[in-house]
Amino acid sequence: MPVEDPEEHFEDRIGVALRQAGGSYDTDRSALAAAGEVRGRRLLHRRRAVVVGGVAGVALAGLGGALFVPTDGGEREDGRRSVAASARTSPDTSPGTWPETGPISGDELVAVLQSLLPEGEFSGQESRGTDETLPPFAHVVYDDGGGGAAVALSLAQVTPGGSAAQDATACPDKALVPYDSCVTSELSDGSALRLFQGYEYPDRRVDTKLWSADLVTPQGQHVGVQEWNAPAEKGEPVSRDEPPLTTAQLQDLVTDGQWRTAADRIGAEPGKPTVSPGTPVVGIDGEEILSTLTSLLPEGVEVVSTGGQETEYAYVVVDDGEGKSMVQINVQNDMSDVEDDLFGADARTLPDGTKVVTREGPGEKSGSGVVMRTADTIRPDGRRVVVSAFNTGGLKDDATREAPALTLGQLEGIATDGSWLTID
């Protein structure tokens, strides 16, 4: 059983607590079905954008590299298909061999996952079916002879064209998420595909590699496959140099038509129709957040670079003459349901009802010597504004100056400014 990561940030622990309470599931692996779906999507979207140990919890998105295609084609000596022989430009839309109606069990998901992997030994099977409260998944430890490796499949229904669909198939900002390769493409049926090669830990304190493939169809079916070069995502030593499946094999696996059929069964009961994608969650526009943040910066700092996400998150890198300093912000609606968890006895309440918590400490998932200052606020209507500053210009970089460019007081002034009440 994986051991708990002692450096796991507070926000990660909150996410775990929410999942245990039945409210959400990790990053873009999904959305809840039926009546709980809208709240689940909101929690997922919030989890994805919230500040985590100095790194915005950006969903793994896209790739900035390219596939290296061998010229020989055919089978490799180890029995795995090469990229040239295996890569697809069009998806497999065959329906598979699921029951004609009703839910698909977790055991059935595991069985199909194992059947689609190259020959090897399997252990550590875990799963959840399409008729359960939380989203369906299948997880196995797969050993092709080169060492045990965790392989996971997740299914979801997302709103076509919505933020969850876009985030699932977009590349992360390299200033926030380090990775080796990332490729996005559109398949012949209009599905969006993302192939990613990165790391479980952004700071690389453990060299656990995370490779993934995500497919979002025009109908809103989201299929995700993840693999690691260790028997577990966290808490287990690396067992091999690389995860077992090539990017071409990940593409074959994620585009298999059986997963689309299974995704359509989320929330299904025997003899009843399946659930359609839920109402999209519209986040606050990232460009507007960036513009507002920039306007509220104190005098004497120069904006060197900017970035962020489509919704809810933005950052600037500033220089006050003493070196670069990153300032990042999350602006999120409808956070009242976690207010008690995030704003405890140390919170101050302002005359207008806004709760404020300030803190300073190490950027736990940042580079060496990084200091993180944060002002965290929530309005009576549930709008949360979190602003953090660092003594480095890049979250994965080591400290480049003694302290962040902004003081806690300046950060609180930004977070409590009335401008945040006027943007949508």
Side-chain angles (χ1 to χ4, degrees), residues 129-375:
T130 62
D131 59 343
E132 300 188 45
T133 302
L134 294 177
F137 78 94
H139 174 280
V140 300
V141 177
Y142 165 63
D143 191 342
D144 60 356
V151 179
L153 166 91
S154 58
L155 301 173
Q157 294 176 339
V158 297
T159 301
S163 59
Q166 294 173 19
D167 287 345
T169 54
C171 288
D173 189 331
K174 273 205 165 182
L176 305 174
V177 180
Y179 55 84
D180 293 331
S181 175
C182 194
V183 176
T184 60
S185 61
E186 182 176 326
L187 304 185
S188 60
D189 70 339
S191 296
L193 174 69
R194 175 194 68 204
L195 299 171
F196 177 91
Q197 293 184 337
Y199 300 87
E200 180 66 29
Y201 297 92
D203 61 4
R204 303 283 300 277
R205 65 182 182 274
V206 178
D207 199 28
T208 304
K209 295 182 179 180
L210 166 61
W211 293 0
S212 65
D214 281 87
L215 178 80
V216 175
T217 71
Q219 296 74 38
Q221 301 145 327
H222 178 199
V223 184
V225 177
Q226 303 84 33
E227 60 168 342
W228 294 262
N229 61 332
E233 297 91 312
K234 296 181 179 181
E236 292 283 350
V238 168
S239 57
R240 50 194 298 147
D241 291 338
E242 295 183 345
L245 303 179
T246 66
T247 50
Q249 289 174 307
L250 281 175
Q251 178 171 338
D252 277 349
L253 182 56
V254 81
T255 56
D256 191 276
Q258 297 178 83
W259 305 129
R260 301 175 185 222
T261 303
D264 283 341
R265 304 287 180 86
I266 294 176
E269 297 180 17
K272 293 186 178 181
T274 55
V275 179
S276 60
T279 304
V281 174
V282 179
I284 301 171
D285 181 71
E287 289 294 331
E288 193 167 1
I289 292 173
L290 177 59
S291 175
T292 303
L293 172 62
T294 303
S295 71
L296 296 175
L297 291 171
E299 294 184 4
V301 298
E302 176 188 359
V303 176
V304 177
S305 61
T306 64
Q309 294 179 192
E310 182 181 0
T311 61
E312 297 193 341
Y313 173 81
Y315 75 85
V316 296
V317 177
V318 302
D319 193 333
D320 59 356
E322 298 183 10
K324 294 180 180 179
S325 176
M326 177 175 276
V327 180
Q328 67 177 16
I329 186 166
N330 288 90
V331 184
Q332 303 160 316
N333 286 327
D334 303 325
M335 295 291 286
S336 297
D337 53 353
V338 293
E339 180 176 342
D340 292 342
D341 294 319
L342 300 177
F343 297 86
D346 57 342
R348 292 180 287 111
T349 303
L350 304 183
D352 66 354
T354 299
K355 292 184 178 181
V356 181
V357 173
T358 58
R359 51 186 175 267
E360 179 174 337
E364 295 177 5
K365 295 187 179 180
S366 303
S368 175
V370 172
V371 175
M372 175 182 180
R373 291 173 177 166
T374 298

